[in-house]
Amino acid sequence: MIEKNRFNLIDEPWIPVVDVGRASLRQIFSYPEYRALGGNPIQKIAITKLLLAIAQAAATPKDDEAWSAMGADGMARACLDYLERWHDRFWLYGERPFLQYPKLDGSRLLSYGAVLPEIATGNTTVLTELQAEKPLPDEDRALLLITQMGFALGGKKTDNSIVLTSGYAAKTKPNGKPASGRHGVSIGYMGYLHSFLQTTTLLKSLWLNVFDRQQIDAMDFYPEGLGIASWEEMPAGEDCPVARRLRDSLMGKLVPLSRFCLLKEEGLHYTEGTVYATYKEGGIDPSVAVSHAGKTPKTLWVDAEKRPWRQLTALLSFMGQMGNSRFDCYQLSLGLTRARRHEETIGVWSGGLRVSSNAGEQYVSGKDDFVESVVLLDSNALGEQWYVLLNQEMGGLEKIANRLYGATLNYYKQQKLKVEVAGDYAAMSRNLFWQLAERFFQQLVDACDADDEAVNLRQDLRKKFSGLVVGSFDNFCPHDTARQLEAWAKCRPNLADYQNQGEQT
């Protein structure tokens, strides 16, 4: 029995929006006052990519001049017209459900919580009520579906006994049994760090991240160019001609089909979809930073103990670095130059989810987590000199953080603690420093200018950072007894050289 059409993503509110609640696709492109997306970081990334795919399908400009002339308002109008034309393709349920495969009906059924990384299912221990599985309303199912397209975790939860492309063998082991599902293209092995430009409103932010045709044509890693949105032409299977064209296009990276799903009231049918090339195989996601300078490509992973702002110099290394240290994130490198002409302040949003892997099973462990941060850049100050100064200051911060680690480690070694325990205290001390330093990072970014006032600001900030290092050491290294006091005085970090470091030009 064919399910009736219901819950259209264009009309129904399902997208989390800051200060608003939920909004429909039509509302997203109709209300320029919306500030930013809500939800967790991977939901923000998945929805941003969907909105960009709609914008690229509706109004990809010819070149930079056409992009400027279109503006955020022109993009929004084109997207609204496009959504009206394709309204019947955005039903979450029905004869042709959005990004789903009715052929999966009858395969193994999973609970919705089984594919949510933050929900504890099976024999996993539930630590807080937030981890307990709850019934999902339609708006959350829509959000889950979009997120699973790129951020599905690898493992045995996929029903890979289902193969839609005749003769396709990549879902089967040599012994004939179904293989485990591979990780989604947007999350990778450990969790890619994704980055986008951001400004004062959601529509302007989307506009800043839209590519023009000249930029897309220059991306030789997309043989199919822009491509066609998957809801316009859904692949029939994992490796059919449509799937291969989607895989080799920009659209395939914006809204991939790493999982084939079918939503039901009681759960979802779930199997591995199209397999995309990894960054090592030449598969480039425009929101992921990749370096091709060495023999083996490198990327920036999410680190739950290293907030994204600490990787800003790597994300922006196209501004001033060459060689093995240079990373390219096309959402930033292609968008930042033209964004400076239209926005006085530009935000760099970065985020993702750190995951662990064991024997082909991907999961969120105790040390894994979502991360995100936004750093604001002054358009007038940006340039190679600004980048060199910021890189210099961040290098100094890394050095004093490592000096703090060594000082704390030596203190506890003198207390005759085991090296492993001493290392734990040293790591906690360094982590505390980075947590405290974050509140001053935006000031440091703003102070990386060449004038005398900025020089003085950087010197003042070095004193503050030095105070945080010493405070973190004191917090973790008590000096109450004579033995403690002797070790404390001997190991306490001296940061005079950092505070008095000369200004490089």
Side-chain angles (χ1 to χ4, degrees), residues 309-327:
W309 62 268
R310 289 176 56 192
Q311 303 203 62
L312 181 65
T313 51
L315 289 168
L316 299 180
S317 58
F318 59 86
M319 295 181 67
Q321 286 190 10
M322 302 299 291
N324 293 346
S325 299
R326 179 187 170 117
F327 283 85

Side-chain angles (χ1 to χ4, degrees), residues 62-116:
K62 176 183 177 182
D63 51 25
D64 183 75
E65 184 179 353
W67 174 83
S68 297
M70 175 177 69
D73 292 340
M75 177 199 71
R77 288 193 298 270
C79 288
L80 289 171
D81 291 341
Y82 175 85
L83 291 173
E84 288 305 313
R85 275 199 320 275
W86 293 96
H87 186 275
D88 67 328
R89 299 296 177 90
F90 284 82
W91 294 103
L92 190 61
Y93 308 97
E95 181 179 358
R96 184 182 278 171
F98 184 69
L99 300 184
Q100 297 172 65
Y101 285 83
K103 291 181 180 179
L104 297 182
D105 203 359
S107 63
R108 187 178 66 197
L109 194 69
L110 284 179
S111 69
Y112 286 110
V115 298
L116 291 170

Side-chain angles (χ1 to χ4, degrees), residues 99-386:
L99 300 184
Q100 297 172 65
Y101 285 83
K103 291 181 180 179
L104 297 182
D105 203 359
S107 63
R108 187 178 66 197
L109 194 69
L110 284 179
S111 69
Y112 286 110
V115 298
L116 291 170
E118 69 273 20
I119 298 300
T121 57
N123 61 359
T124 308
T125 303
V126 178
L127 298 177
T128 70
E129 191 175 336
L130 293 175
Q131 294 176 287
E133 186 172 4
K134 303 175 182 68
L136 278 190
D138 289 332
E139 56 267 27
D140 286 330
R141 294 178 192 175
L143 198 55
L144 176 146
L145 176 69
I146 299 303
T147 306
Q148 287 301 308
M149 293 301 102
F151 288 93
L153 301 187
K156 299 180 179 63
K157 292 176 181 177
T158 55
D159 184 357
N160 277 1
S161 64
I162 306 298
V163 179
L164 301 185
T165 296
S166 178
Y168 182 67
K171 296 166 76 170
T172 307
K173 297 179 182 179
N175 62 9
K177 294 183 178 180
S180 296
R182 279 158 281 208
H183 54 68
V185 64
S186 301
I187 197 161
Y189 178 64
M190 293 189 294
Y192 294 126
L193 184 69
H194 293 260
S195 300
F196 298 93
L197 297 177
Q198 193 175 82
T199 186
T200 52
T201 69
L202 178 55
L203 285 181
K204 282 187 177 181
S205 296
L206 293 173
W207 173 59
L208 293 183
N209 286 282
V210 165
F211 295 120
D212 61 53
R213 291 200 175 273
Q214 285 188 351
Q215 291 173 328
I216 297 170
D217 291 342
M219 299 179 190
D220 55 5
F221 40 84
Y222 295 137
E224 294 290 332
L226 173 62
I228 298 175
S230 52
W231 53 83
E232 293 185 25
E233 188 178 17
M234 281 288 283
E238 299 86 353
D239 197 37
C240 69
V242 175
R244 290 195 290 271
R245 289 196 297 271
L246 185 66
R247 184 181 59 203
D248 293 335
S249 68
L250 173 62
M251 280 295 185
K253 284 296 187 290
L254 293 177
V255 184
L257 292 172
S258 293
R259 291 292 183 269
F260 291 169
C261 304
L262 180 63
L263 304 183
K264 292 290 185 177
E265 193 63 35
E266 60 276 15
L268 77 162
H269 302 284
Y270 191 72
T271 185
E272 182 178 276
T274 300
V275 176
Y276 297 79
T278 68
Y279 72 96
K280 288 186 177 180
E281 299 165 335
I284 303 297
D285 189 322
S287 59
V288 172
V290 178
S291 171
H292 291 96
K295 293 181 179 179
T296 304
K298 297 179 180 178
T299 189
L300 296 180
W301 300 103
V302 169
D303 187 341
E305 295 185 353
K306 188 176 184 179
R307 297 264 293 163
W309 62 268
R310 289 176 56 192
Q311 303 203 62
L312 181 65
T313 51
L315 289 168
L316 299 180
S317 58
F318 59 86
M319 295 181 67
Q321 286 190 10
M322 302 299 291
N324 293 346
S325 299
R326 179 187 170 117
F327 283 85
D328 277 305
C329 174
Y330 290 93
Q331 289 291 169
L332 303 183
S333 61
L334 296 181
L336 195 57
T337 300
R338 66 185 188 184
R340 291 175 59 189
R341 302 197 303 267
H342 298 272
E343 298 291 323
E344 293 183 1
T345 302
I346 307 165
V348 173
W349 182 96
S350 301
L353 171 65
R354 178 73 173 202
V355 294
S356 298
S357 299
N358 184 24
E361 196 75 21
Q362 243 178 353
Y363 55 91
V364 178
S365 73
K367 290 186 177 181
D368 299 327
D369 204 354
F370 296 108
V371 299
E372 65 176 315
S373 65
V374 178
V375 180
L376 303 179
L377 309 178
D378 182 352
S379 295
N380 296 322
L382 289 181
E384 185 175 352
Q385 185 178 37
W386 171 88

